[in-house]
Amino acid sequence: MSLLKIRKDFTFLDDNKWIYLDNACQSLRPRQVVDAIKEYYENYPVCAGRSNYRLAVELQQKLTDVRLLVSKFIGAKKPTEVIFTRNTTEGINLIANSYPFVEDDVVLISDKEHNSNLVPWLLLAKTKKIKVEIFSTNIDSTWNWESFNQKLSSKVKMVSLGITSNLDGVTIPFEEIIKKSHQFGAKVLLDGAQWAGHRQTEVSKWGTDFFVFSGHKTLGPTGTGVLYGKEEELAKLQPYQVGGSTVADTSYTDFELLGIPERFEAGLQDYSGILGLGEALRYLGSIAWSEIEAHEKKLTEIIIEGLEKIPDINIIGPKESDKRNGIISFYHPKAQSHQISIILDQTANIMVRSGRHCVHSWFNDRGVKDCVRASTAFYNTIEEAERFVNELKKVIGVLT
Ligand SMILES: Cc1ncc(COP(=O)(O)O)c(C=O)c1O
């Protein structure tokens, strides 16, 4: 992996002006992705599928190609197991609202889920009277089998978990979790928002029933995402959004749904976004996952080692870099998180995020006000990680 060559593809990084460490929010895009979006608007800005002129047919073929590419990228058996969405959140909402849950069914989640994998279930508990059960992670926010096992029962219909936490980068032992959940008859929905752009996805090999991720966290355009479902599981879903593009025929009293996946993709789709997503995954696929992993581990190591040298800093989650995927969160008792991020930005052009990172429930439960989060990607350099640590030391020095 040549970082020099890679960084040339990311126009935003070209002049080394900015240090972007907010990759958990969204990743940057290489020019290939931007070109694909531009190409759509400049060369074939038409409707796919609905029209039969040549450009429409060509566009339809390109979209079909992207669906195939996505299916290969995530290791699905068939392209028809891939549904285009706007983001991870939409994918989870689709399952929450389309899966045939009945009253008293249990959905099991951890105490550290992103709001997107908490609120849809809490809402469903109000509307459909399902039950949401929450198991605890350890004090250092790693996986706790005992707590999970205690909650797992034949009443659990869905186990829904983030593979990698956006709070602390900890990855759960998902393959064992899938096996265990299936033994109890529960289906598994994996939230791959913080996973898909960093590690290899193999949905079919893992045996997960559903998997969701966001294009904008995997080098793709904003507002793109994917829901994967095993063919037999997608067949059980009753679409919750219908209308144009989802039906083969209608009368004034009835309708005939199209097949899968079309029935789940209501209305005109984000054509340029899907084409950009295709380029993003093609780009990611051209770099070895082992190299991405090794590089992100090194960045994590440098940041954690640096943080440990700053007096009174509290690192959320384990200190070992191999237990977290490139996300490092911390807080300081005497320095406000928002002040830290604002000063880093204004004095050193370093972008990190401060706040509760859409895991308000965890912060409320643990009595932690907020934190600063630095999240890396394969295009970040060792020098950037070191500079971040050095600048942070200065900022904390000023604030305390
Ligand atoms: C673990 C996790 N799940 C879900 C989401 C929601 O992603 P999106 O806003 O793209 O729907 C995020 C976003 O940061 C996330 O980190």
Side-chain angles (χ1 to χ4, degrees), residues 23-26 85-92 112-117 161-167 191-195 212-217 223-225 327 353 357-359 373:
N23 292 286
C25 182
Q26 59 172 323
T85 63
R86 285 185 303 140
N87 44 44
T88 300
T89 307
E90 190 174 67
I92 297 173
K112 230 187 21 173
E113 296 305 319
H114 189 282
N115 284 336
S116 295
N117 190 29
L161 297 167
I163 301 187
T164 299
S165 162
N166 66 305
L167 170 68
D191 166 357
Q194 300 300 342
W195 169 273
V212 286
F213 73 96
S214 298
H216 38 261
K217 297 183 204 291
T224 57
I327 297 176
R353 188 151 163 212
H357 315 286
C358 295
V359 201
R373 181 182 73 187

Side-chain angles (χ1 to χ4, degrees), residues 34-213:
V34 180
D35 288 349
I37 296 168
K38 247 179 95 201
E39 211 176 287
Y40 166 74
Y41 287 111
E42 290 179 355
N43 298 346
Y44 36 90
V46 297
C47 278
R50 307 164 178 213
S51 314
N52 60 7
Y53 42 82
R54 281 171 299 162
L55 285 189
V57 174
E58 191 185 326
L59 174 60
Q60 183 57 52
Q61 186 55 50
K62 284 181 189 291
L63 297 171
T64 304
D65 292 346
V66 174
R67 203 186 294 278
L68 177 65
L69 192 146
V70 174
S71 71
K72 288 188 174 154
F73 180 84
I74 61 173
K77 283 189 181 142
K78 295 179 179 178
T80 46
E81 292 177 318
V82 168
I83 294 163
F84 291 121
T85 63
R86 285 185 303 140
N87 44 44
T88 300
T89 307
E90 190 174 67
I92 297 173
N93 273 282
L94 195 155
I95 299 298
N97 289 286
S98 306
Y99 194 81
F101 291 111
V102 295
E103 197 172 327
D104 288 335
D105 280 351
V106 173
V107 173
L108 183 56
I109 62 174
S110 83
D111 62 357
K112 230 187 21 173
E113 296 305 319
H114 189 282
N115 284 336
S116 295
N117 190 29
L118 167 69
V119 186
W121 307 119
L122 294 181
L123 184 60
L124 202 64
K126 288 185 202 286
T127 55
K128 258 200 173 176
K129 302 213 169 10
I130 64 143
K131 293 199 167 74
V132 181
E133 296 269 358
I134 298 181
F135 63 92
S136 315
T137 46
N138 290 321
I139 281 292
D140 71 351
S141 85
T142 51
W143 181 258
N144 183 331
W145 274 114
E146 201 183 330
S147 176
F148 175 73
N149 287 338
Q150 269 169 13
K151 296 277 183 180
L152 193 59
S153 74
S154 56
K155 287 199 170 145
V156 176
K157 294 292 174 270
M158 188 75 67
V159 172
S160 187
L161 297 167
I163 301 187
T164 299
S165 162
N166 66 305
L167 170 68
D168 51 30
V170 170
T171 292
I172 58 171
F174 55 88
E175 291 192 74
E176 287 156 81
I177 295 165
I178 294 166
K179 279 196 197 96
K180 188 103 203 181
S181 305
H182 284 168
Q183 281 165 13
F184 282 80
K187 302 299 170 192
V188 177
L189 163 56
L190 292 180
D191 166 357
Q194 300 300 342
W195 169 273
H198 302 268
R199 303 289 182 269
Q200 186 171 9
T201 302
E202 295 178 281
V203 285
S204 181
K205 180 174 158 247
W206 300 343
T208 188
D209 301 284
F210 302 104
F211 175 84
V212 286
F213 73 96

